[in-house]
Amino acid sequence: DRYRYKDWSQMMGYFHGLSAKYPGLIELYVAEEMYPHMRQGTGSWADCRGKPCYIMLVRMTNESSLKPSRPELFFSGALHGNERLGPATVAEMAGFLLENYAKDQEVRWLLDTRSIWLAPTTNPYGYAHNTREEQRMDPNRDFPYLQRPEMCMRTMTARAVNELYRERQFRMMVTFHGGMRILS
């Protein structure tokens, strides 16, 4: 059913399906593979309902015309795992842009002139377990703002976002925070 929230496995499957259907417009990455230094130890860092957790990063753009100077945008869903609206919004936006690329000139212009980065479930552990935290820590409180250095970057969620921000020069960033009653 299109209007039901996807669980973590369904969300990952949805993006793999988009990647197979629109290969010149979407690329999927695993943050832990892009930034192997952010991992501590080997093996899976958490369990997402029987599967190893990983942080999927998605880039949507017309790869045939990609230039290093192309402006980049970032949309993040589920920094807090129990906020279901962000991942649903990010997934619907991705589907809309890819499905309408060939028939809508404004959508085509957007993907021809921008790189749109997505983190559909920024906190996969929290999303899979429907909890705000990653391993008992709020990832939104794990960034170096008003924190002692040793109290930062303890979650894989914060590390992945930090590495992506350090590597890219985003012109615009949107992180969705929303429960069942409000989206902010």
Side-chain angles (χ1 to χ4, degrees):
D1 185 4
R2 182 180 177 135
Y3 297 106
R4 290 186 186 265
Y5 290 117
K6 295 170 177 53
D7 67 24
W8 183 77
S9 292
Q10 291 168 331
M11 184 68 72
M12 298 303 100
Y14 178 74
F15 277 94
H16 282 284
L18 290 176
S19 179
K21 191 171 181 180
Y22 304 100
L25 297 174
I26 182 172
E27 289 181 290
L28 307 181
Y29 302 93
V30 175
E32 296 86 338
E33 293 171 4
M34 286 177 71
Y35 312 112
H37 58 279
M38 74 180 214
R39 294 192 63 165
Q40 296 175 341
T42 59
S44 176
W45 55 272
D47 177 79
C48 282
R49 299 281 182 203
K51 297 181 180 181
C53 287
Y54 62 91
I55 300 168
M56 177 184 282
L57 298 174
V58 178
R59 182 176 69 180
M60 296 188 314
T61 192
N62 179 350
E63 294 175 27
S64 68
S65 64
L66 186 60
K67 297 176 181 145
S69 61
R70 181 164 291 175
E72 298 182 304
L73 316 171
F74 178 66
F75 294 87
S76 167
L79 190 67
H80 293 126
N82 63 344
E83 295 175 344
R84 309 313 258 185
L85 203 49
T89 303
V90 169
E92 286 297 315
M93 179 183 71
F96 174 85
L97 292 173
L98 295 169
E99 291 165 12
N100 288 286
Y101 177 81
K103 52 189 170 192
D104 184 309
Q105 70 180 24
E106 290 174 342
V107 170
R108 188 169 37 260
W109 176 85
L110 186 63
L111 292 178
D112 284 350
T113 63
R114 304 289 183 267
S115 284
I116 300 173
W117 285 85
L118 311 171
T121 59
T122 315
N123 174 359
Y125 176 85
Y127 189 78
H129 296 278
N130 199 29
T131 183
R132 183 177 184 85
E133 297 83 15
E134 174 191 307
Q135 311 283 26
R136 297 182 303 280
M137 169 121 197
D138 182 343
N140 208 30
R141 304 295 175 258
D142 198 22
F143 294 101
Y145 177 74
L146 299 177
Q147 294 264 29
R148 295 188 323 264
E150 66 274 8
M151 299 303 291
C152 302
M153 301 294 129
R154 294 178 288 167
T155 63
M156 292 297 281
T157 300
R159 290 183 209 150
V161 170
N162 182 64
E163 291 301 320
L164 188 64
Y165 278 29
R166 290 167 56 100
E167 181 181 83
R168 318 301 321 170
Q169 298 248 339
F170 294 115
R171 300 272 178 102
M172 183 189 81
M173 297 163 274
V174 175
T175 179
F176 290 96
H177 288 271
M180 301 311 276
R181 291 179 232 165
I182 187 168
L183 174 66
S184 63

